[in-house]
Amino acid sequence: MNLATSGVPPTRVLFQAGQSEVVTRIQNDALLSASLWTNVALAGISALLFVYMARSVETNRARLIFVATILISLVSLSSYLGLVSGLTVGLIEMPAGHALGGEEVLSQWGRYLTWTLSTPLILLALGLLADVDGVDLFAVISADIAMCLTGLAAALTTSAYGYRWVFYGISSAFFLVVLYALVAKWPVQAEAAGTSDIFATLRTLTVVLWIGYPVVWAVGVEGFALVDSTALTSWGYSILDIGAKYVFAYLLLSWVARNERTVEEATGRGTARAASPAQDPQ
Ligand code: RET
């Protein structure tokens, strides 16, 4: 069916709006394009760098941390290619009550979808570093995935302005679970694992930058639209991504490569020991 001639009003077309139309809008906005291509480049370069850094890593747990972290860059590369190609971008009409109510806004909904893959990998890497137990890791990663999916709902809800914020509130509640683990629980386990110094650095980086995401959402086009530019909102997320993924990953992997023994010795105090009766006769 040709939507242009079918009599379907443009406001109802929303996600059927052709990818080519969305791509044209992105390409015509140099600032917006730059926010995406910068991350395509950084994701690709960082993945290559991390694979290179992995060449001398031999022990199991260190290798696992490398695999999880290299995947962060690869997920990011796919995510940003989804955005620049228009595959995971759509036009949504903001509901009445929103500062841009009635206007069509470019929604980069693919970001939220791919965060459901990248943020669990970040938490997995941090959890392995701190040698947290499997149940804790499962609970925190589940809350994190729920945070991303309800964040996706907040961004895509167009039936009523209030519902956008209801989903935002639920997403924030899940986020508090993640923050609680990072700030209160995991540092204690990192201390026991002998990784507390690097864990503290990465934890601070993660907590500060991750708090930036809901702030960008609230201030940017999706929330109060105090900044009503799609390009600037996109740059907000892109800059946070650079710190939360590539800088984070570089700091983590260079430490792990230098301290393989500490990482390997930590195995057995948390997950592995609890799961393996052979190491724990009681
Ligand atoms: C949203 C809006 C709803 C409320 C909250 C949010 C939090 C998002 C976070 C995202 C972190 C993303 C990262 C991506 C790396 O690839 C969904 C923006 C709380 C914390 C680190």
Side-chain angles (χ1 to χ4, degrees):
M1 182 169 70
N2 181 350
L3 290 168
T5 56
S6 66
V8 179
T11 51
R12 306 196 121 236
V13 176
L14 301 177
F15 287 103
Q16 291 104 325
Q19 283 174 28
S20 49
E21 185 195 330
V22 181
V23 159
T24 310
R25 284 194 190 217
I26 296 173
Q27 283 166 356
N28 289 341
D29 188 335
L31 195 60
L32 177 59
S33 290
S35 74
L36 304 176
W37 282 110
T38 306
N39 265 271
V40 170
L42 287 175
I45 293 168
S46 63
L48 291 174
L49 173 68
F50 300 154
V51 169
Y52 176 76
M53 286 166 70
R55 74 200 183 287
S56 57
V57 177
E58 276 161 7
T59 53
N60 252 344
R61 174 160 289 225
R63 285 169 61 219
L64 189 51
I65 294 179
F66 262 85
V67 171
T69 311
I70 290 168
L71 282 172
I72 298 170
S73 289
L74 293 178
V75 168
S76 187
L77 183 61
S78 322
S79 171
Y80 277 97
L81 284 175
L83 295 173
V84 282
S85 65
L87 174 68
T88 57
V89 182
L91 290 170
I92 60 166
E93 189 195 323
M94 286 301 178
H98 188 278
L100 304 172
E103 278 179 46
E104 273 192 345
V105 172
L106 208 62
S107 169
Q108 299 184 347
W109 56 268
R111 284 191 186 271
Y112 308 94
L113 204 61
T114 48
W115 290 347
T116 62
L117 298 169
S118 59
T119 54
L121 289 168
I122 295 174
L123 293 173
L124 175 63
L126 276 175
L128 287 169
L129 182 70
D131 198 30
V132 302
D133 70 83
V135 178
D136 249 31
L137 203 52
F138 175 74
V140 173
I141 287 180
S142 304
D144 169 68
I145 292 174
M147 172 192 85
C148 296
L149 291 177
T150 46
L152 175 67
L156 287 186
T157 301
T158 52
S159 58
Y161 183 50
Y163 282 133
R164 294 176 69 80
W165 288 106
V166 169
F167 280 119
Y168 183 95
I170 298 173
S171 178
S172 301
F174 285 120
F175 186 34
L176 288 179
V177 175
V178 176
L179 286 180
Y180 172 73
L182 288 178
V183 173
K185 285 204 82 180
W186 290 8
V188 181
Q189 277 141 307
E191 185 80 55
T195 55
S196 59
D197 283 354
I198 181 69
F199 183 83
T201 308
L202 295 174
R203 188 235 8 227
T204 307
L205 184 78
T206 300
V207 168
V208 170
L209 292 175
W210 284 37
I211 288 174
Y213 289 81
V215 172
V216 169
W217 198 98
V219 171
V221 277
E222 287 144 318
F224 294 120
L226 300 175
V227 173
D228 66 355
S229 145
T230 314
L232 288 181
T233 306
S234 181
W235 264 113
Y237 289 130
S238 290
I239 289 169
L240 290 172
D241 271 3
I242 293 170
K245 292 193 279 206
Y246 322 123
V247 174
F248 168 92
Y250 181 76
L251 292 175
L252 172 63
L253 295 185
S254 46
W255 189 89
V256 169
R258 271 184 279 117
N259 297 276
E260 255 190 85
R261 189 171 294 269
T262 313
V263 174
E264 198 54 26
E265 277 166 8
T267 317
R269 274 190 274 244
T271 327
R273 182 170 191 177
S276 160
Q279 288 181 25
D280 187 351
Q282 272 124 57

